[in-house]
């Protein structure tokens, strides 16, 4: 029987074996669309690369291991992975989703799936009661993003899992911001974990890829049917890059979290900063849950400078030199963004502001550079 490995070994070895052809330690990039058959159906387990590809399969096995799941599925992007989950539903089904979530997730739900008759309710999920109040006989799925993008609220995954079980709903958790280094939602009762692997998993801002992981064989079968039938799969090279990235996830995350903690404290004590959203603060409203369900507090944070508005917030991010002004997060390099005009522009302003995404809000993805250089960059930009 295979020895049970710890997380820091699973990132490197989970589901991996030397390649059967020549013993290659890294899975080769099987850049092929198809596979020779000796007779129709006579093949070695691979017939067409939309359905299966050895490089993608190596990644999918690794994804399953690091999330403590039995089945991993890779997609062309995080949104393609979410799209596959939504295709489990039927017209008139209802979904309850986190109110503060990635703008592209909101756009997928409301602009693509609402017109097909699936209904979405956006609820502040920090309150389990508020979620419970919205459940109807038509509710089929709870969609949880935690920590949330960009307000860094933390949602109690176990409480959501209990609610889902009680009402026979599926619970899907977008684990992009935390990564499995910080939390493993399947172990807390989630049915499906989703990743924008574009972020911490791949880790180097060089690939767009999505993932789903589950322990449920029938869900895995339905999702892999959708993966093949709809066809939003990643290519072998992107699968290879993601697998390579995951091998250093634990060492990167440790430094990401250390740097973010230092920057959060620096900003919190800065006389020109109004507020900082980071779940590591004692006074963060969900700090206790974050402490209980996460190994550390992550490397994303958002803040509002004192007296800032749309223009001054943009002026501040434009002044940054080491932080790159860009969408995305989770790479080794630090990024800064202005959610209202970038990542969350597709959410209507009134709805956005209700969850705290005001025009003066700035979001940071803290990288693994020397933290002193990052602080000096913030210092010169804040002025
Ligand atoms: O970009 P893609 O790989 O399709 O993943 C979408 C996605 C899903 N879920 C969360 C929590 C995300 O943050 C994202 C993508 N987010 C950004 C690009 C961003 O800058 O926030």
């Amino acid at each position: 029987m295979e020895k049970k490995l710890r997380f820091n070994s699973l990132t490197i070895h989970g589901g991996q074996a030397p390649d059967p052809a020549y013993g290659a330690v890294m899975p080769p990039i099987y850049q092929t669309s198809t596979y020779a058959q000796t007779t129709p159906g006579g093949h070695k387990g691979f017939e067409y690369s939309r359905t299966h590809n050895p490089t993608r399969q190596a990644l999918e096995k690794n994804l399953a291991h690091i999330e403590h799941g039995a089945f991993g599925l890779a997609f062309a992007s995080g949104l393609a992975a979410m799209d596959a989950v939504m295709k489990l539903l039927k017209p008139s089904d209802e979904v309850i989703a986190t109110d503060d979530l990635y703008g592209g997730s909101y756009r997928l739900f409301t602009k693509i799936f609402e017109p097909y008759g699936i209904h979405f309710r956006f609820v502040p999920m920090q309150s389990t009661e508020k979620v419970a109040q919205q459940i109807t006989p038509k509710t089929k799925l709870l969609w949880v993003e935690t920590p949330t993008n960009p307000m860094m609220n933390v949602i109690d995954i176990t409480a959501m899992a209990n609610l889902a079980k009680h009402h026979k709903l599926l619970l899907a958790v977008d684990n992009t911001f935390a990564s499995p280094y910080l939390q493993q939602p399947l172990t807390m009762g989630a049915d499906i974990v989703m990743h924008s692997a574009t972020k911490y998993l791949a880790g180097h801002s060089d690939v767009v890829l999505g993932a789903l992981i589950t322990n449920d064989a029938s869900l895995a079968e339905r999702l892999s049917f959708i993966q093949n039938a709809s066809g939003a799969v990643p290519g072998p090279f992107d699968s290879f890059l993601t697998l390579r990235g995951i091998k250093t996830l634990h060492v990167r995350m440790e430094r990401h979290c250390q740097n973010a903690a230092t920057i959060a404290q620096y900003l919190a004590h800065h006389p020109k900063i109004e507020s900082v959203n980071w779940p590591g603060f004692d006074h963060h409203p969900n700090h206790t849950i974050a402490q209980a369900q996460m190994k550390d507090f992550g490397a994303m944070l958002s803040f509002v400078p004192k007296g800032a508005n749309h223009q001054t917030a943009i002026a501040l991010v434009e002044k940054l030199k080491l932080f790159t002004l860009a969408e995305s997060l989770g790479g080794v390099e630090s990024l800064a963004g202005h959610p209202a005009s970038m990542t969350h522009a597709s959410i209507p302003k009134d709805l956005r502001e209700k969850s705290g995404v005001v025009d003066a809000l700035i979001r940071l993805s803290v990288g693994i550079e020397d933290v002193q250089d990052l602080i000096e960059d913030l210092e010169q930009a804040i002025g």
Side-chain angles (χ1 to χ4, degrees):
M1 213 177 104
E2 203 179 309
K3 183 181 178 315
K4 256 190 165 315
L5 295 175
R6 295 169 181 82
F7 185 80
N8 294 355
S9 308
L10 283 177
T11 57
I12 298 163
H13 298 288
Q16 307 303 297
D19 186 69
Y22 299 109
V25 167
M26 264 312 271
I29 301 163
Y30 280 96
Q31 194 70 41
T32 186
S33 59
T34 192
Y35 307 82
Q37 307 193 12
T38 48
T39 182
H43 54 73
K44 298 176 178 169
F46 297 91
E47 54 187 354
Y48 187 59
S49 276
R50 173 164 31 74
T51 320
H52 297 296
N53 171 280
T55 317
R56 192 178 97 212
Q57 196 176 73
L59 168 65
E60 291 178 330
K61 286 186 174 166
N62 183 261
L63 288 165
H65 277 79
I66 60 174
E67 279 290 4
H68 288 307
F71 309 95
L73 295 164
F75 291 84
S77 69
L79 286 176
M82 293 176 69
D83 180 272
V85 175
M86 294 305 138
K87 286 173 178 161
L88 295 169
L89 304 174
K90 294 188 307 299
S92 92
D93 284 351
E94 290 179 3
V95 178
I96 301 177
T98 313
D99 66 335
D100 170 39
L101 82 177
Y102 171 54
S105 307
Y106 177 85
R107 183 178 54 200
L108 176 73
F109 294 163
T110 57
K111 295 286 194 293
I112 302 291
F113 285 99
E114 277 275 4
Y116 284 102
I118 296 168
H119 302 297
F120 295 86
R121 294 161 190 252
F122 297 95
V123 178
M125 290 184 151
Q126 304 87 283
S127 159
T128 310
E129 291 94 83
K130 283 196 175 140
V131 179
Q133 281 162 13
Q134 295 292 327
I135 295 173
T136 76
K138 291 184 172 175
T139 309
K140 293 286 152 38
L141 172 73
L142 299 184
W143 184 271
V144 170
E145 190 181 298
T146 181
T148 62
N149 181 1
M151 293 307 293
M152 305 305 299
N153 297 308
V154 176
I155 294 156
D156 185 339
I157 297 172
T158 308
M160 289 299 130
N162 291 339
L163 200 59
K165 283 211 171 60
H166 183 72
H167 294 273
K168 298 195 169 48
L169 315 175
L170 283 177
L171 171 63
V173 177
D174 182 338
N175 203 21
T176 300
F177 263 38
S179 91
Y181 173 79
L182 295 180
Q183 68 190 15
Q184 292 151 348
L186 296 179
T187 66
M188 298 178 231
D191 299 293
I192 300 170
V193 169
M194 174 261 155
H195 278 282
S196 168
T198 314
K199 313 292 160 34
Y200 291 106
L201 294 185
H204 296 74
S205 306
D206 52 8
V207 62
V208 172
L209 195 137
L212 297 176
I213 303 103
T214 182
N215 266 316
D216 181 315
S218 80
L219 263 180
E221 198 183 320
R222 289 167 67 200
L223 289 167
S224 65
F225 180 84
I226 295 167
Q227 182 195 37
N228 180 50
S230 288
V233 292
F237 186 50
D238 287 355
S239 300
F240 172 88
L241 284 176
T242 305
L243 188 58
R244 183 165 84 150
I246 291 172
K247 287 172 190 283
T248 55
L249 176 67
H250 51 294
V251 280
R252 285 185 285 110
M253 286 308 291
E254 216 176 285
R255 182 61 60 86
H256 274 296
C257 292
Q258 270 172 22
N259 280 1
T262 308
I263 288 175
Q265 295 295 351
Y266 157 78
L267 290 171
H269 290 99
H270 199 292
K272 291 189 176 169
I273 300 302
E274 181 73 43
S275 58
V276 186
N277 305 308
W278 178 67
F281 292 129
D282 290 344
H283 63 263
H284 183 284
N286 319 124
H287 179 66
T288 315
I289 290 170
Q291 256 182 332
Q293 81 184 11
M294 297 170 74
K295 185 181 162 88
D296 206 333
F297 301 107
M300 294 300 296
L301 55 89
S302 53
F303 67 97
V304 175
K306 267 194 187 134
N309 57 32
H310 190 96
Q311 283 74 23
T312 58
I314 287 181
L316 196 160
V317 291
E318 283 176 353
K319 270 196 217 149
L320 290 165
K321 294 190 172 81
L322 190 55
F323 280 84
T324 303
L325 175 59
E327 309 243 352
S328 202
L329 58 114
V332 290
E333 56 288 286
S334 294
L335 304 180
H338 180 248
S341 61
M342 296 168 72
T343 47
H344 293 71
S346 53
I347 303 180
K349 189 174 162 75
D350 55 331
L351 205 71
R352 198 168 68 212
E353 295 202 332
K354 235 165 80 182
S355 54
V357 188
V358 293
D359 284 353
L361 188 79
I362 292 169
R363 189 187 77 175
L364 299 181
S365 168
V366 179
I368 62 170
E369 299 94 337
D370 190 304
V371 72
Q372 204 47 44
D373 287 329
L374 295 173
I375 287 177
E376 285 170 16
D377 192 30
L378 287 165
E379 187 67 27
Q380 65 79 24
I382 295 167

